[in-house]
Each structure stands twice: as structure tokens, then as C-alpha cells.
Amino acid sequence: MYTAHPDRYADLPYRRTGRSGLMLPALSLGLWHNFGPNRPAETQRAILRRAFDLGVTHFDLANNYGPPPGAAESALGAALAADFAPYRDELVISTKAGYLMWPGPYGEWGSRKYLLSSLDQSLTRMGLDHVDIFYSHRPDPDTPLEETMGALHSAVQQGKALYVGVSNYSAEQTREAARILAGLGTPLLIHQPRYSMLDRRPEDEGLLDALDELQVGSIAYSPLEQGLLTGRYLDGIPEDSRAASDSPFLNSDAVTEDLVARLRSLDEIAGERGQTLAQLALAWVLRAGRVTSALVGASSPEQLADSVGALRNLDFDAEELARIDAIVKA
């Protein structure tokens, strides 16, 4: 029987999510790639237990996480039943709907029928009666935003979600989503954008400014840029890496000589700060407090603990930031 570490809240910082009462850990665990039948169940449970022992109280999923789709939610459901039933009220569990889950016209995007059906399926897989955050995973160009946001509002009204969020929405779409939800009486809690040292779109396209203006929280996914910022590629492409497998999220063509040279320069800065490259990348995303939490994946408990080590130094001086910008933007 798993018993959580008694000092799990001693060290990891928590940040308020926008203007809500919800606090999120500065690092959250994403179950995107490493939770499913292709990984040993005991390894998955060990990662979740280690996360919670370190104070990582937020587990983030989506209906399509796996592979196959749904597998990550099923894996979490098994772990919740085996290890975390006594701790459910100490956990923030989020899921999303938006990508393809089943055949036909009702199996993806942002209709009311799809979103609420998907949420019911997610709750069944996880063995829960509600999630803490339910997201629209991507904007639907063909469904009125009022319908998509209305479905999120209904999830809260039905007691199946406590808060709602959006992911992959532009700044303008986020403003409109927040306006609609405010009119319904269900505030927009959080936005989940892709954001890293190598992907500055939330800055460049005004999304972070919009979230500041709206007082909406943010949680960055892919802060390690699909592993490019972990240090695994400092000497090229390892045979067992994601890029070597030509994953749809990272392929070998992306790992150019120029990119490897930039990664080595960033690694030098990390070394000067007493950090690994991954820790530098996470600290950079969390700098200055504009991002509520950064999502990290983990293939082992040790990898997760290394990520948490980034929180020991989140401060950057102007020279460090300028050097990072010069490397990335050159």
C-alpha cells in the first residue's frame, strides 16, 4: 500500500491560477507520451508516486493521450484506484477533448455532443465522477464558439468539472472565449499553449499579454521542445530517441547541425548556472511568474526528480536572458 511522503508540500512552490482560488504546482506532470500499454505499468505508477511525493499535485491528460487514444486516462485510473484513492482531494486532474477519438462526425472538434460525450468517456476511463479542469483542446473553425464554451459551462453545471480551460487558442480566440464564459457565469481558468525557449509564439503573438489582461492562468506544454532541450541531442541523434523514430512530433530532419550547435551553447549557460539544459529550459519558461505551471513528461522517476530540480533557481539576470535570446534568435 502506497503512503505519500509526509513532507511532500515542503519544497515545491505553488502559484495562483489567474484570479481564481486554485493553486497549481510550478511543475505539473503531463501524461502525453509515457502512459499506455507500451510502458510497464509499474514504471508508470512509480512516476506518479514520485511526482506526488515531490509535491507535484497536478496530473494533466487528454482523451487522445496514449497511444492508443484513451490509454493514458485508463492508466491513470488504475493508479488512482491502486495508490491515490485516499489523496483524491489533494490532486488536480485535468483532461481535454478536441482531437479525433471515434469515427463519424461526432468524434472530434468542438461540438456540444462531442465534448460532453468525450468527458463522460474520460471519467469512465479514470474511474472519477469529476475532473478538476476540462479543456477545449483546440478551436473548431466550423462550430460557433458559443456552442463550444457553452459545453464547457454545462460540464461545470453538471458537476463533471470544477474549472474550464482552452488549449491552442490564439490571443483573440482566447479573449472571445473568456467573454462568452464570463457571460455564462463560468470563468475561463487557464490556457495551455505550447511554449519554450525555442517556440516563442505565445510571446510573439500576444497570447501572454492577453492572459495577463484577462487574469487567466497559463500552463506551458512542450517546454522541453519534445526532448530537444533535455541534452539528449548535444551529440546528434541517439538511436533510441524520439527523433530517431521519426515521431510525428519530432523527426530527424529537425535536428540540424545548426540546431545542435545552438543547443550546445545553451547547455554552456546551463552549466554556468549549475543546471542541466532541461533545468535551464524549465526555469526560463517559469521566469518572472508569467506562466503558472510548466508541464513535464517523464519516462522514469529519476527524470522527473531532475526536472523538479529546476525550481531551485528560477532567477535570470539581464545578461543571461540576452545571451539566450542571441543564441535562439540568431
Side-chain angles (χ1 to χ4, degrees):
M1 174 74 70
Y2 165 68
T3 301
H5 197 288
D7 296 329
R8 59 191 175 277
Y9 296 113
D11 298 319
L12 197 144
Y14 296 81
R15 296 178 170 185
R16 188 166 300 279
T17 312
R19 60 178 177 177
S20 78
L22 184 67
M23 306 286 282
L24 288 179
L27 283 183
S28 298
L29 179 63
L31 279 66
W32 184 4
H33 289 302
N34 295 311
F35 288 79
N38 59 339
R39 303 279 181 168
E42 188 52 43
T43 299
Q44 298 172 42
R45 287 178 59 189
I47 292 168
L48 293 166
R49 291 192 296 259
R50 182 64 170 146
F52 191 54
D53 284 345
L54 290 169
V56 177
T57 55
H58 178 207
F59 300 157
D60 178 78
L61 301 102
N63 57 357
N64 65 326
Y65 287 178
E73 289 179 331
S74 296
L76 179 64
L80 291 174
D83 295 327
F84 294 99
Y87 306 106
R88 171 63 183 99
D89 290 336
E90 295 183 48
L91 294 171
V92 173
I93 298 172
S94 60
T95 197
K96 316 175 195 70
Y99 289 92
L100 182 64
M101 281 299 291
W102 60 86
Y106 320 121
E108 63 178 326
W109 293 108
S111 72
R112 178 180 181 85
K113 178 171 178 59
Y114 166 69
L115 290 172
L116 295 179
S117 296
S118 177
L119 178 55
D120 284 343
Q121 292 183 21
S122 292
L123 293 175
T124 297
R125 283 190 288 268
M126 291 186 283
L128 298 173
D129 60 6
H130 74 278
V131 292
D132 298 284
I133 308 171
F134 181 48
Y135 288 88
S136 168
H137 205 166
R138 60 173 172 172
D140 183 343
D142 298 318
T143 297
L145 193 56
E146 289 81 0
E147 178 175 340
T148 301
M149 295 303 107
L152 297 185
H153 171 67
S154 291
V156 173
Q157 293 298 105
Q158 294 169 5
K160 296 176 181 178
L162 301 185
Y163 301 92
V164 299
V166 296
S167 182
N168 300 308
Y169 279 53
S170 70
E172 190 53 42
Q173 289 167 332
T174 302
R175 286 191 176 93
E176 183 64 6
R179 183 193 68 78
I180 294 167
L181 284 168
L184 294 170
T186 296
L188 178 62
L189 173 79
I190 195 166
H191 189 298
Q192 187 174 131
R194 180 167 181 157
Y195 182 44
S196 74
M197 286 196 295
L198 300 179
D199 188 342
R200 309 288 187 92
R201 284 175 294 177
E203 293 178 10
D204 298 340
E205 298 174 3
L207 177 61
L208 293 185
D209 291 336
L211 297 179
D212 288 344
E213 170 193 323
L214 296 166
Q215 293 183 276
V216 168
S218 60
I219 180 165
Y221 77 87
S222 292
L224 301 179
E225 204 60 32
Q226 295 296 314
L228 287 175
L229 291 169
T230 62
R232 292 205 73 198
Y233 297 91
L234 295 177
D235 297 311
I237 303 175
E239 291 184 2
D240 61 345
S241 67
R242 188 168 296 159
S245 70
D246 280 333
S247 158
F249 306 105
L250 179 65
N251 60 61
S252 56
D253 292 341
V255 188
T256 63
E257 290 184 9
D258 176 69
L259 176 61
V260 170
R262 292 170 191 248
L263 296 177
R264 288 172 177 164
S265 296
L266 292 171
D267 187 56
E268 290 178 8
I269 297 174
E272 294 167 9
R273 289 169 52 85
Q275 294 179 316
T276 64
L277 178 56
Q279 290 171 342
L280 172 73
L282 293 170
W284 184 90
V285 164
L286 292 167
R287 75 198 187 286
R290 292 191 81 186
V291 170
T292 312
S293 184
L295 275 169
V296 295
S299 58
S300 68
E302 294 75 22
Q303 186 180 41
L304 179 67
D306 180 77
S307 294
V308 170
L311 303 177
R312 289 192 289 267
N313 183 9
L314 300 180
D315 296 325
F316 290 81
D317 61 36
E319 181 184 358
E320 287 174 323
L321 292 174
R323 288 173 63 195
I324 290 169
D325 286 349
I327 293 165
V328 172
K329 297 180 178 182

